[in-house]
Amino acid sequence: RNSQLPISDHVMPLDRYRNTALVDGIDVRALPLAGDCPAPASEGKQQQQQQQQHWFQRRLVQDTVGSGYVEFGDTKVLCSVHGPMEPKRSVLTDAGAEQSRAQLQVYYKLAPFASHQAGRVSYLPDETERRAASFLQDTLAPSLRLDRLPKSRIELHCLVLEDAGCCLATAVNCACLALVDAGLEMYDLVTAATVCRPVGATDWQLEVGDGSNSGGSSSVTLAYMRSLRQVAGMLVEAAEPLQPREVSAACRICEDPCKMTHSSLRQFLLDCLPADDRTAKIA
Amino acid sequence: LLAQLLSEPERQYIFDSVQDAVRIDGRQCLAYRQAALRLDLLCYATASAQVSLGETDVLVSVREEDNPGATAQQQGSTGSVAVQQQQAVSHPVSVWVDCSCLGSGPEQQQLADEAQAHLSSLYRCLRTPTPVFVDILLLGYDGNLLDAASIAASAALMRALPASLLSAQALPLFATVHRIGSQQIVDANQLEESCSMARVTVGVDSNGRLVACQTCGEGSLQFESMTEIIETGVRKAMMLHDSVAKLVARVL
């Protein structure tokens, strides 16, 4: 079926901070999270709840196969997917190595204005960005059915528009949304969360996109596939030496936020389906 | 990087034999290859080390750059306040990995980039008063670059940095544990690395605490498996710490 909806006939967005132009976009804050999260009790808690909820949007970028945009608090990430296209030739492919799976290539970049702490970021990807790109690649590859697209290449471009904390986890969520929007087959949605702990503290806290986490705290990022109950990726950045059981405990704490994000992402994608498609599937 | 030309029957052979706890070179699953360590090879470096783990050969040079010109200027202008500022400045360790001996393709560059990111995170907690540059040159590759490079870099840094900075502790080492089917193996060679779907690299200091931990590879793990693999990694890293301490004591 034709999955490319025309996006030329939309009204101008009035809200400066949210792109409300696309009819597919749904404000997730208006929906109850699927069964996992109780209603907030008071105003302060409501605001905290809002900080911890994701805003999803898709089809923002015109000339791509699929794209996704996620806001988590103040952190904003935009992902676009290109492909499947001709594979990159190298000495190995010329030598006749089997190309039975698609190559997944991830490019990750912070926009020059994106960082709250570091000032202006350079145009060339630095070490942190290259590491984030390879983490994204290792995290999304287990879930993608790359064997369905032999002899091809899929490119995923990830641009962080604002980094206010929890940037890598939000990028994983956004990349997953973009890949689903591109119509690529996946075993499961990959969602991620980060917990952090300042040096000397004992409790791990969920990192949200409100800029409160400056450097100098240890963080554990976990990417989880809820239906398969498997960990797709885990990254520990330690500001002080950690006991192995503390790291395992932090991973367990990350599990619940990952599941919640999985529910809300899945709900968003289901609601994006046009109504007639949904009835066609049931019939 | 020859291993990517493995055919499917060869891959299956390696996979099946590891399931039976037999590796293709006859080692146990959790055994390291013979390691050799040489120190103080390079005369212009502050310290240097070369480690060979099987065919994997890594040469590390550590240089401390001090700026005597800048220090003199600062002291001349404002006296004691400038000296305090000079002492307060601390530098992270700068790591550079060069895989050009293997070729100049994108796969080699990716190997170098990943190794650089891992090793920088290993020494993240280490701060030095003067800039320290760790240059890692890969002379031969047969798997397990990270473990070999961390042994060499830590040995060289322990020689280069003053004892007061190290506070009588050994610097952290990496242990990479691969998961092939239901077995865990350490110190995988190139062929085994191409058969493994998931691996966990843990950076452990001499007290058994983690300073870095990352899963890599295009496979996923259950929570319990991941915890087991981390525990195996910590155990093997402690064993590595003992062996490296003995090797360094024998060389000196």
Side-chain angles (χ1 to χ4, degrees):
Chain A
R1 71 187 160 92
N2 179 21
S3 57
Q4 295 288 340
L5 293 177
I7 56 171
S8 56
D9 51 348
H10 287 149
V11 297
M12 285 295 291
L14 299 172
D15 186 340
R16 289 209 184 102
Y17 301 103
R18 302 264 188 272
N19 189 338
T20 54
L22 302 178
V23 293
D24 300 314
I26 295 171
D27 185 349
V28 184
R29 288 170 293 188
L31 295 173
L33 292 176
D36 275 330
C37 175
S42 65
E43 186 55 47
K45 241 189 146 181
Q46 171 109 27
Q47 199 174 7
Q48 197 194 24
Q49 208 71 30
Q50 278 189 2
Q51 275 293 84
Q52 291 184 6
Q53 290 189 1
H54 289 81
W55 162 277
F56 298 113
Q57 192 66 279
R58 61 183 201 126
R59 302 270 170 84
L60 243 66
V61 186
Q62 280 209 24
D63 290 325
T64 57
V65 172
S67 62
Y69 173 73
V70 175
E71 284 188 20
F72 185 51
D74 288 333
T75 301
K76 303 171 177 64
V77 182
L78 175 69
C79 276
S80 54
V81 174
H82 302 261
M85 54 175 95
E86 283 278 326
K88 251 189 193 168
R89 293 177 57 123
S90 66
V91 170
L92 295 169
T93 52
D94 291 346
E98 281 182 46
Q99 288 284 301
S100 57
R101 306 175 85 217
Q103 302 166 353
L104 175 67
Q105 188 70 37
V106 177
Y107 298 93
Y108 178 93
K109 189 76 193 67
L110 250 68
F113 44 81
S115 175
H116 279 201
Q117 298 133 22
R120 190 179 169 82
V121 178
S122 131
Y123 284 112
L124 297 170
D126 68 0
E127 191 182 279
T128 338
E129 290 163 336
R130 287 201 299 264
R131 187 180 201 195
S134 67
F135 179 74
L136 275 174
Q137 195 166 338
D138 286 339
T139 303
L140 296 165
S143 171
L144 272 173
R145 295 217 56 188
L146 296 171
D147 52 318
R148 300 281 273 178
L149 298 163
K151 296 195 176 73
S152 64
R153 172 164 60 110
I154 298 164
E155 276 189 10
L156 179 76
H157 290 260
C158 195
L159 180 64
V160 177
L161 297 172
E162 188 175 342
D163 176 13
C166 200
C167 177
L168 191 55
T170 311
V172 171
N173 297 330
C174 189
C176 181
L177 172 59
L179 289 166
V180 173
D181 189 46
L184 293 167
E185 284 188 51
M186 296 174 80
Y187 285 112
D188 190 10
L189 297 175
V190 185
T191 50
T194 306
V195 289
C196 64
R197 189 179 88 167
V199 175
T202 47
D203 290 327
W204 293 94
Q205 288 170 342
L206 183 69
E207 191 174 326
V208 293
D210 57 0
S212 59
N213 175 39
S214 48
S217 48
S218 312
S219 71
V220 175
T221 303
L222 185 84
Y224 188 60
M225 295 189 287
R226 183 185 184 173
S227 307
L228 298 179
R229 291 200 199 98
Q230 299 219 334
V231 171
M234 189 253 303
L235 178 63
V236 174
E237 292 187 0
E240 52 167 353
L242 303 167
Q243 295 287 348
R245 59 168 186 274
E246 291 175 336
V247 170
S248 307
C251 289
R252 287 285 178 184
I253 294 173
C254 279
E255 199 182 334
D256 274 341
C258 287
K259 286 181 178 168
M260 279 169 41
T261 311
H262 186 282
S263 309
S264 42
L265 181 56
R266 187 168 174 270
Q267 190 62 45
F268 169 73
L269 290 167
L270 284 174
D271 293 333
C272 284
L273 287 174
D276 47 4
D277 262 333
R278 209 183 291 165
T279 52
K281 202 187 280 199
I282 295 168
Chain B
L1 295 171
L2 216 57
Q4 294 180 28
L5 292 174
L6 272 187
S7 67
E8 195 51 43
E10 286 171 313
R11 223 177 272 273
Q12 194 62 41
Y13 175 78
I14 296 173
F15 184 91
D16 287 341
S17 48
V18 169
Q19 299 311 297
D20 293 333
V22 173
R23 294 169 74 169
I24 46 175
D25 53 2
R27 277 186 283 160
Q28 299 285 323
C29 284
L30 298 182
Y32 272 83
R33 288 170 282 192
Q34 280 279 29
L37 173 71
R38 288 162 66 198
L39 293 174
D40 297 335
L41 307 145
L42 305 170
C43 43
Y44 285 109
T46 313
S48 57
Q50 181 178 6
V51 166
S52 61
L53 204 61
E55 296 289 318
T56 301
D57 210 330
V58 178
L59 174 65
V60 174
S61 120
V62 173
R63 277 194 72 106
E64 254 185 294
E65 301 281 345
D66 37 32
N67 289 334
T71 316
Q73 240 177 6
Q74 283 183 5
Q75 277 183 349
S77 56
T78 44
S80 62
V81 175
V83 170
Q84 270 178 11
Q85 284 175 347
Q86 185 73 11
Q87 283 169 353
V89 167
S90 72
H91 302 265
V93 172
S94 204
V95 176
W96 173 252
V97 178
D98 186 352
C99 285
S100 54
C101 291
L102 301 181
S104 54
E107 294 91 4
Q108 289 85 346
Q109 189 55 46
Q110 191 172 5
L111 188 70
D113 282 345
E114 270 183 43
Q116 185 180 353
H118 276 102
L119 286 155
S120 302
S121 74
L122 187 67
Y123 299 118
R124 182 195 303 269
C125 303
L126 192 62
R127 296 261 137 177
T128 53
T130 55
V132 169
F133 297 97
V134 176
D135 296 305
I136 297 170
L137 180 62
L138 186 62
L139 301 171
Y141 181 64
D142 190 20
N144 209 12
L145 167 58
L146 288 176
D147 295 11
S150 73
I151 295 174
S154 290
L157 277 168
M158 283 200 287
R159 298 278 284 158
L161 296 175
S164 55
L165 202 63
L166 300 173
S167 63
Q169 269 184 7
L171 288 173
L173 296 179
F174 270 133
T176 304
V177 183
H178 288 255
R179 191 175 165 92
I180 297 185
S182 56
Q183 283 281 4
Q184 299 171 10
I185 59 169
V186 294
D187 195 18
N189 62 19
Q190 219 181 332
L191 301 177
E192 289 165 340
E193 273 186 356
S194 66
C195 297
S196 94
M197 286 303 281
R199 65 181 192 272
V200 179
T201 302
V202 290
V204 180
D205 68 4
S206 52
N207 293 331
R209 294 177 299 178
L210 293 176
V211 292
C213 180
Q214 186 175 350
T215 59
C216 309
E218 299 185 355
S220 53
L221 295 164
Q222 308 261 357
F223 264 117
E224 295 77 20
S225 315
M226 196 172 70
T227 315
E228 273 171 28
I229 291 182
I230 293 176
E231 280 167 16
T232 308
V234 171
R235 258 199 339 263
K236 298 315 285 184
M238 295 308 290
M239 189 212 75
L240 270 181
H241 270 290
D242 287 335
S243 310
V244 169
K246 283 191 200 128
L247 275 174
V248 169
R250 211 187 305 165
V251 165
L252 293 178

